Amino acid sequence: MKALKKLGLVLFILGLSIFTGTIFTGSFKLSESDVNDFIESKGYQSEIIKEELKKATVTNEDLNIFQFSSRVRAAYQASNEHYENLIAKYDAEKNWDKKGEQYQYIIYGKPHTLSYELSKKAGSGFIKDNPALIWWLTFGLAILGGLLFILPNIKLLGRPGIKNNGIYLESSTNRGWIAWLVLIYLVAFYLLLYFKADYVVNWTYILDPISKFLNGGPASQWFVYGFLYCVIMLVMAARMYIKYRHNKYQVIRTTSVLFFQIVFAFLIPEIMASLNMPGYDFKNAFPLDYDFFFEWNLESLSQSGAIGIFILVWGTLLTLIVVPVMVYFFGKRWYCSWICGCGGLAETLGDPYRQHSNKSLNAWKLERWLIHAVLLFSLIMTAVTLYCYFSGTQSFLGINSQWIKDTYSFLIGAWFAGVIGTGFYPIFGNRVWCRFGCPLAAYLGIVQRFKSRFRITTNGGQCISCGNCSTYCEQGIDVRAYAQKGGNIVRASCVGCGICSAVCPRGVLKLENGPEKGRINPTDILLGNDVDLMDLVNRK
């Protein structure tokens, strides 16, 4: 069995290495007709950009993606600089008409995003010509290797029961060199995906056949991300099923997050796109879905007929009614641990790192300030966006609408949720984003803390203070402190994952939905031979 695990590890590393190496392969160049067709499809009015792009991309050289991207970005920059110089010239001459004419020729957009569109058309080579074979050599090998590494645990782990033996002795799970390598790879992946998508265009060629089957069009970097997300969750879910196989709550919860991620977050939006409908994740609630009220989305939905109006109404009702009502009855676990894609990845890929969540008082103070600051930021951004949308202005109370949307998208949507939130799993634990940054988690937490039937009850008399519950709490809650005094756990940050209860050797902890009365019980210690013990019980 151990040999099988080693073989699986080798196959996984081989598949991952080939996948990573595909970035550096292929040849990129365009013909004059390709450039003309692209210019026409984009509606560019500038003759300068046409000439610059032809000089940059119509060549007999075999350019790699880095050379091609550099040339394309330089072409866009040269074109824009030409018209910016004319604007400055006419401004100095006070020739306002001529100055105004030049703005139509300025091309806006992120340089690597502009380059990606051309790179997708320009690529050629073995990867693009043989996507099925490359899929098996990358995804296929990595999936097979991952399963071969995981499945022998059915036998090696012995009798059913949660085995965390040696978790602080392994380099991969105790912030050792392997953990740091994983962090570097994940961070690099997110940086490329969010900010340099043209560099990973070869990855999209691998998934083009699957994308065309699902939505009728070629794969984008976001299709690659969604597909990878689902594959990783599926493979790591096998690990969850084996590790927690004796615990029905964990098995059903894992199945739930898989279903909602694969069906609702991936398949349904892709199929909707193939039917000329706006792709929409029906479980994604604002403010996690922070661009739901952006102008472009409101325009798209309003122009999509009945389905667009339904999505707009459903998204609003989901946030204002469905979310708080469900939290009242079931706590925030109904979303964070059973439905949410971020939580799904955290509970599967991130499970080996849950012990790294910071349990200190300072971390708790930072958590409270930071997550509610992000919630406030998202609400201000949305208020500014809606005011400007309906009033037709560019700013509100001195805040420019486009600036605040771009700032939030960059700092929160890309860096916090992606680069830090997932990339830092191996060092800071699996719920960095959920605990410190997710505005929806903050909203759910406020409702859960003050108006919910959910709580984790404790039987303090049975607690042996082993500390397993606190160690494996991914939200950094000192569960043992509650268990030692027999107090109910009612915390805004608790996502109800149930791991604290699952790892408890004495059955001290129980997740419950009950009456609000007595939910937050006294802080008096309910252990020992206190003569007032019965009086406390009778007053509950």
Side-chain angles (χ1 to χ4, degrees):
M1 286 295 178
K2 290 184 178 179
L4 202 60
K5 285 177 70 73
K6 290 180 180 178
L7 174 62
L9 182 60
V10 169
L11 291 177
F12 173 78
I13 293 174
L14 180 60
L16 184 64
S17 299
I18 295 173
F19 179 75
T20 306
T22 58
I23 293 175
F24 306 97
T25 66
S27 175
F28 295 82
K29 56 187 175 182
L30 294 169
S31 66
E32 285 198 29
S33 61
D34 289 333
V35 174
N36 291 334
D37 291 343
F38 176 76
I39 296 292
E40 184 178 349
S41 68
K42 300 298 292 184
Y44 293 155
Q45 302 297 316
S46 167
E47 286 296 322
I48 301 296
I49 188 59
K50 181 187 291 188
E51 295 306 315
E52 290 292 339
L53 284 176
K54 285 181 180 180
K55 286 192 295 184
T57 63
V58 179
T59 175
N60 292 323
E61 298 179 62
D62 287 328
L63 303 175
N64 61 41
I65 185 58
F66 306 105
Q67 295 168 325
F68 183 85
S69 171
S70 177
R71 290 190 178 193
V72 170
R73 286 181 283 119
Y76 277 106
Q77 184 178 359
S79 175
N80 283 345
E81 284 181 353
H82 173 81
Y83 292 106
E84 286 168 358
N85 290 334
L86 287 179
I87 290 171
K89 173 188 173 184
Y90 292 132
D91 183 66
E93 296 174 355
K94 296 185 170 26
N95 190 340
W96 312 127
D97 291 337
K98 282 290 186 179
K99 176 185 176 181
E101 288 177 9
Q102 309 311 310
Y103 285 101
Q104 64 180 314
Y105 303 122
I106 299 290
I107 299 171
Y108 298 96
K110 299 174 182 177
H112 284 277
T113 301
L114 296 171
S115 171
Y116 171 83
E117 296 181 64
L118 273 170
S119 301
K120 185 72 175 177
K121 297 176 179 294
S124 62
F126 190 78
I127 305 295
K128 189 173 183 178
D129 296 338
N130 301 276
L133 175 60
I134 299 302
W135 190 95
W136 284 108
L137 290 175
T138 54
F139 287 92
L141 282 179
I143 292 169
L144 177 61
L147 291 176
L148 285 177
F149 185 81
I150 291 168
L151 294 179
N153 288 336
I154 298 175
K155 182 70 174 177
L156 294 175
L157 290 179
R159 298 175 60 186
I162 299 172
K163 309 294 194 304
N164 285 312
N165 302 1
I167 199 166
Y168 282 107
L169 302 177
E170 298 289 339
S171 177
S172 58
T173 54
N174 191 31
R175 300 181 177 131
W177 66 272
I178 296 178
W180 281 101
L181 281 180
V182 173
L183 179 145
I184 291 169
Y185 189 90
L186 287 174
V187 168
F189 169 81
Y190 274 96
L191 289 175
L192 288 173
L193 185 78
Y194 281 118
F195 306 117
K196 299 182 185 295
D198 50 345
Y199 289 171
V200 297
V201 70
N202 276 326
W203 291 352
T204 68
Y205 295 143
I206 301 172
L207 295 180
D208 272 344
I210 299 174
S211 178
K212 290 174 182 176
F213 174 76
L214 288 176
N215 63 38
S220 67
Q221 78 269 33
W222 302 119
F223 185 89
V224 172
Y225 183 49
F227 187 83
L228 264 174
Y229 208 102
C230 294
V231 167
I232 291 170
M233 281 184 60
L234 275 168
V235 174
M236 292 301 289
R239 177 185 174 278
M240 291 288 289
Y241 285 134
I242 294 170
K243 182 176 180 179
Y244 300 103
R245 60 191 182 277
H246 70 295
N247 190 306
K248 290 184 179 178
Y249 182 84
Q250 299 303 327
V251 170
I252 296 173
R253 186 172 69 90
T254 301
T255 305
S256 175
V257 292
L258 280 178
F259 170 78
F260 280 101
Q261 171 59 33
I262 295 171
V263 177
F264 276 75
F266 184 66
L267 291 178
I268 290 179
E270 296 298 332
I271 293 171
M272 290 178 70
S274 72
L275 299 174
N276 293 319
M277 296 180 183
Y280 180 67
D281 179 358
F282 285 91
K283 66 172 178 57
N284 201 14
F286 173 86
L288 179 59
D289 184 12
Y290 63 88
D291 58 4
F292 183 77
F293 293 107
F294 281 12
E295 293 96 330
W296 63 265
N297 192 49
L298 294 177
E299 290 290 341
S300 174
L301 293 178
S302 63
Q303 295 171 9
S304 299
I307 185 64
I309 300 301
F310 174 78
I311 290 172
L312 185 58
V313 173
W314 165 252
T316 305
L317 293 178
L318 178 63
T319 298
L320 298 180
I321 298 177
V322 177
V323 163
V325 168
M326 291 293 285
V327 174
Y328 172 76
F329 284 105
F330 304 107
K332 65 191 286 187
R333 61 175 169 163
W334 81 271
Y335 193 89
C336 297
S337 288
W338 287 72
I339 291 178
C340 180
C342 302
L345 191 69
E347 296 293 344
T348 50
L349 176 64
D351 181 71
Y353 311 113
R354 63 172 59 248
Q355 67 275 7
H356 295 322
S357 60
N358 194 319
K359 315 297 192 297
S360 69
L361 181 61
N362 286 334
W364 178 60
K365 291 178 179 178
L366 175 64
E367 169 196 324
R368 289 190 304 163
W369 280 101
L370 194 53
I371 196 169
H372 294 106
V374 174
L375 174 60
L376 181 61
F377 188 4
S378 69
L379 293 177
I380 292 173
M381 173 192 67
T382 304
V384 171
T385 299
L386 289 176
Y387 176 84
C388 293
Y389 175 73
F390 289 109
S391 67
T393 57
Q394 298 296 317
S395 62
F396 177 55
L397 297 178
I399 303 174
N400 181 271
S401 174
Q402 192 60 48
W403 173 84
I404 195 171
K405 288 185 295 184
D406 289 345
T407 302
Y408 187 95
S409 299
F410 177 76
L411 294 178
I412 309 301
W415 273 97
F416 207 159
V419 178
I420 297 173
T422 303
F424 282 44
Y425 276 3
I427 305 302
F428 295 128
N430 61 324
R431 287 277 190 171
V432 176
W433 163 246
C434 310
R435 181 183 178 188
F436 293 99
C438 178
L440 181 59
Y443 172 36
L444 296 170
I446 292 171
V447 180
Q448 175 169 279
R449 177 62 179 80
F450 296 105
K451 194 66 178 177
S452 176
R453 294 163 55 86
F454 173 74
R455 83 291 307 272
I456 299 177
T457 58
T458 62
N459 181 359
Q462 292 292 317
C463 180
I464 59 173
S465 298
C466 67
N468 279 352
C469 52
S470 293
T471 297
Y472 296 104
C473 176
E474 58 194 1
Q475 290 294 100
I477 299 171
D478 187 4
V479 181
R480 179 173 59 179
Y482 289 88
Q484 286 172 332
K485 64 183 181 182
N488 290 347
I489 302 172
V490 181
R491 290 283 290 271
S493 59
C494 178
V495 294
C497 68
I499 296 296
C500 60
S501 175
V503 298
C504 178
R506 302 280 290 175
V508 173
L509 303 155
K510 184 179 180 182
L511 281 68
E512 294 185 3
N513 299 311
E516 287 186 73
K517 184 178 180 181
R519 176 171 170 260
I520 302 178
N521 55 6
T523 57
D524 308 59
I525 295 177
L526 304 182
L527 300 178
N529 297 317
D530 193 329
V531 294
D532 296 322
L533 179 60
M534 292 307 300
D535 180 55
L536 286 171
V537 172
N538 291 330
R539 284 193 282 113
K540 285 182 62 177

